[in-house]
Every structure is written in structure tokens, then in C-alpha cells.
Amino acid sequence: MQNWQRLSRWQAKLLRIALKKHRISHAYLITGARGTGKKAVATLLAKTLFCEYPEGIEPCNQCNMCKRIDSHNHPDVHWIQPEGKTIKKEQVAHLQKEFAYSGMETNKKVYIVSAADTLTVNAANRILKFLEEPSKQTIAVLLTENSQSILPTIRSRCQVIDLKPLHPQRFKQELMDKGISESQAALVSTLTNDMDEAFRLNDDDWFAQARKTMVQLIEALAESVNDAYLSIHSQWESLFKDRDQQEMGLDLLLLGFRDILYFHMEKTASMVLFQPDGEKINRLAIRFSQEKLIFILQLTLKAKQKLKQNVHPTLVMEQLVLQIQG
Ligand SMILES: [Zn+2]
């Protein structure tokens, strides 16, 4: 996340207002499901506090301070992460000692605790002591997917920032407001909930190519096994090289077949991969019945599972093609 502007306007609104008014709390608990941008918000907060050339609350992302925070290499911004499955007392003690040594300086200090729900009881108690005797210069930021597992005593001393996943429709609108085309916004908002990721996908040549290739594969599937095989060996294999890419490919395939199903059900406003290509989808809808589409969606989900089980990706795709045709 490069700046607050990139964050959805619904997210962390109170925090942004507080920063504008220079009313920083000494402890924050940032909660939210995976992918809602907890680390990004914590990093931005640190950058806003330390940046040498901020514009309003926006960090410059260029100065030494910003760069060091990005690389987790800033002397006054400490990250604590679980070692193994938990965050141990010693990790917190080590941090507190370090802060105590430099206590003579007037520097601000920020410590960010990832997966704060994994603090052991002893570690949590040490943090609690920290929070009970706040120093003006020290800001604690705790992150968790699992806010119910945070001790109420800790929770009550933090300002809670809850990062909710955005409704795709609302997110799509925001992407369009920020200059992304409607057809891209429709697709990207179904794949991610993160503004930065959305912009990355939008600007990514690979992603544009992947979208095209999957549309072509669906068209080939509507024709013949041979066409589909050809599409896999001439295009798919060279484009979808690693596991993440292959999974993304299958996600795009799912969205494409779902579009055709939506077309049958006259829910064209919900289409994403084929939007707004009405003529193409009309042809495909004649080729694939609703029953067949539901069957294909199940097969594609199974193919995703096979990828996770390390079945060879080309084999997964070939089997999928055969089953769809069969
Ligand atoms: Zn900066």
C-alpha cells in the first residue's frame, strides 16, 4: 500500500482523521480477515509518523525513513512475529529492553505485533504492562485476524480499527471512480478486496494476457477437444508457469463459466470475464446448457484441488478438458 489515498475511503477512516488532527493513540488493535490490509495500514501509519517529506498525512515513499520502514529496517519501528506457532515472552522482553536502552532519546517508537492472537499468556501480560504504562513516544500496533482471541484487558486499552472486507459492488464502483475501466473493475473486484492489489492487477500485462487466454480456452472448449488441447499447449503452458498463476487461471475459468451461467439466468449485470461482450457470450450459451455449466464449475473446482495436491499442472488441465468434453 503506497498511500492512504489508495486505501478504500471506507477503511480506517477514523485513523486517518486522527492522523490529520495529530491525535495519535498509544495503542491500536487492527482487526480484519486475511487480505484486508492490516499490515499495509500498520506500515502506512509508521511511515506517516516518520516520513521526512510527508504531504499532509501521505508519506513520500522515497525518503530514507519510508524506505527503511518498507524493508523492515528502521531502528524505531519494530516488528514482532510468531516464532513457530506463538509469540513468546522472550520476544516481547527483548523488545522492551531495546526500547528502554534508547529511552533517553526523544524519538518516537513504534512496535507492530503481527498475529497478536498468538501471544502466549506470559507474552500478552508483558505487552499489557507496556500498555498500562504508556510512554508518549511509544505506539503499539497489534494485528489480528482473530480479535476474539485477544485478552479483553489488552483490547480495552487499544483503539480498535476493524478492516472489513468491502462489498464487491461497492469496491468495483470505487475502482471506477479511481480511473479503472468498468470491465476491468468488474473482474478485479471479484478477485481481490485490496485496492493496491487491484491496481497491480489492472496494470499487469501478464494478467491482461491471462484474461485473454482463458476467454480463448473457453471458446476452444466450445469447439472441440483438439482446439482446447491446442490452446493449452500453445498458450496456457507458456503463460501459466507457477502455482499462483495456474490457480489464478482456474479462477478466471470459473468466472468465465459462471458468466455463461448468469447469461442463461438473465443475470448479465453480474458478469465479469465476458463483460461486455454480448455476442460472444450468446454463442457460448448456445453451446453450454445450464446443467453442463454446473457440472463444469464442479470439475474446475476439483482441478483446483488437484493443483493443491501437486498433480502436474499440464495433466490437470488436460484432464479438465477431457472431462468437460466427455
Ligand atoms: Zn518519506
Side-chain angles (χ1 to χ4, degrees):
M1 189 87 55
Q2 287 298 301
N3 54 44
W4 295 101
Q5 205 69 55
R6 275 271 173 110
L7 208 65
S8 160
R9 67 173 176 277
W10 308 98
Q11 300 286 44
K13 200 174 171 187
L14 290 176
L15 176 59
R16 277 183 275 178
I17 293 170
L19 283 170
K20 275 182 195 150
K21 294 184 173 169
H22 305 284
R23 277 201 215 128
I24 315 293
S25 297
H26 71 273
Y28 291 98
L29 175 63
I30 304 182
T31 68
R34 219 182 131 219
T36 44
K38 296 181 292 298
K39 277 189 188 167
V41 169
T43 307
L44 259 178
L45 174 62
K47 283 201 238 172
T48 297
L49 294 173
F50 287 101
C51 177
E52 292 173 285
Y53 310 105
E55 274 190 39
I57 64 167
E58 296 291 1
C60 73
N61 289 307
Q62 304 289 328
C63 71
N64 194 26
M65 296 289 162
C66 285
K67 283 184 178 161
R68 291 181 82 171
I69 290 169
D70 272 332
S71 59
H72 286 202
N73 203 11
H74 191 290
D76 296 318
V77 180
H78 291 256
W79 288 80
I80 305 186
Q81 320 218 2
E83 278 178 8
K85 287 197 172 140
T86 57
I87 298 172
K88 294 164 185 71
K89 187 180 78 181
E90 292 72 26
Q91 290 176 260
V92 179
H94 177 74
L95 172 84
Q96 290 173 335
K97 213 183 263 171
E98 247 179 70
F99 277 12
Y101 280 138
S102 45
M104 301 304 283
E105 297 169 33
T106 51
N107 288 352
K108 284 185 285 260
K109 306 256 177 224
V110 174
Y111 63 100
I112 302 167
V113 183
S114 290
D117 47 288
T118 66
L119 285 160
T120 63
V121 175
N122 284 336
N125 280 329
R126 282 206 85 126
I127 293 255
L128 187 59
K129 270 210 135 162
F130 229 25
L131 299 180
E132 280 170 339
E133 299 154 13
S135 135
K136 266 200 178 134
Q137 299 294 335
T138 305
I139 297 157
V141 185
L142 280 60
L143 316 180
T144 184
E145 286 177 26
N146 209 342
S147 67
Q148 297 311 313
S149 310
I150 302 292
L151 287 179
T153 40
I154 289 189
R155 206 191 160 83
S156 65
R157 283 178 173 80
C158 296
Q159 191 171 322
V160 179
I161 299 164
D162 188 18
L163 299 178
K164 288 201 170 53
L166 296 167
H167 187 278
Q169 213 51 37
R170 204 188 218 182
F171 190 45
K172 176 185 159 192
Q173 188 55 51
E174 268 198 76
L175 293 175
M176 287 162 63
D177 293 346
K178 290 178 199 273
I180 293 185
S181 73
E182 181 170 9
S183 126
Q184 268 296 81
L187 176 59
V188 160
S189 62
T190 56
L191 294 170
T192 180
N193 213 257
D194 177 80
M195 187 70 73
D196 232 32
E197 170 84 0
F199 271 89
R200 200 183 60 69
L201 288 174
N202 185 55
D203 298 335
D204 186 359
D205 290 338
W206 178 87
F207 182 69
Q209 199 57 41
R211 177 180 196 166
K212 230 198 225 159
T213 303
M214 280 308 167
V215 168
Q216 282 164 357
L217 178 60
I218 293 173
E219 291 180 300
L221 280 164
E223 295 304 322
S224 71
V225 178
N226 276 344
D227 284 7
Y229 261 70
L230 196 67
S231 171
I232 286 171
H233 290 286
S234 64
Q235 293 171 303
W236 183 86
E237 264 190 328
S238 57
L239 193 61
F240 296 88
K241 287 189 181 119
D242 65 39
R243 170 84 70 79
D244 284 347
Q245 292 179 334
Q246 289 147 4
E247 276 186 31
M248 173 70 88
L250 287 177
D251 283 339
L252 291 172
L253 206 59
L254 280 170
L255 290 172
F257 283 116
R258 202 185 66 176
D259 277 359
I260 309 172
L261 189 60
Y262 280 164
F263 185 81
H264 274 292
M265 296 156 71
E266 292 174 23
K267 281 171 67 180
T268 46
S270 308
M271 287 173 15
V272 292
L273 194 70
F274 285 99
Q275 199 204 30
D277 200 338
E279 195 215 324
K280 198 177 270 178
I281 196 113
N282 195 19
R283 262 188 289 124
L284 291 166
I286 294 169
R287 176 64 183 77
F288 298 106
S289 69
Q290 290 195 40
E291 293 73 22
K292 179 84 179 179
L293 286 164
I294 289 164
F295 180 59
I296 293 175
L297 289 173
Q298 287 165 345
L299 289 174
T300 313
L301 285 171
K302 271 190 198 140
K304 269 191 86 175
Q305 279 173 0
K306 284 186 202 161
L307 269 187
K308 283 205 170 76
Q309 292 156 0
N310 282 324
V311 180
H312 192 280
T314 308
L315 188 65
V316 171
M317 293 306 287
E318 287 177 351
Q319 283 176 345
L320 181 61
V321 165
L322 272 183
Q323 287 167 330
I324 288 177
Q325 300 279 345

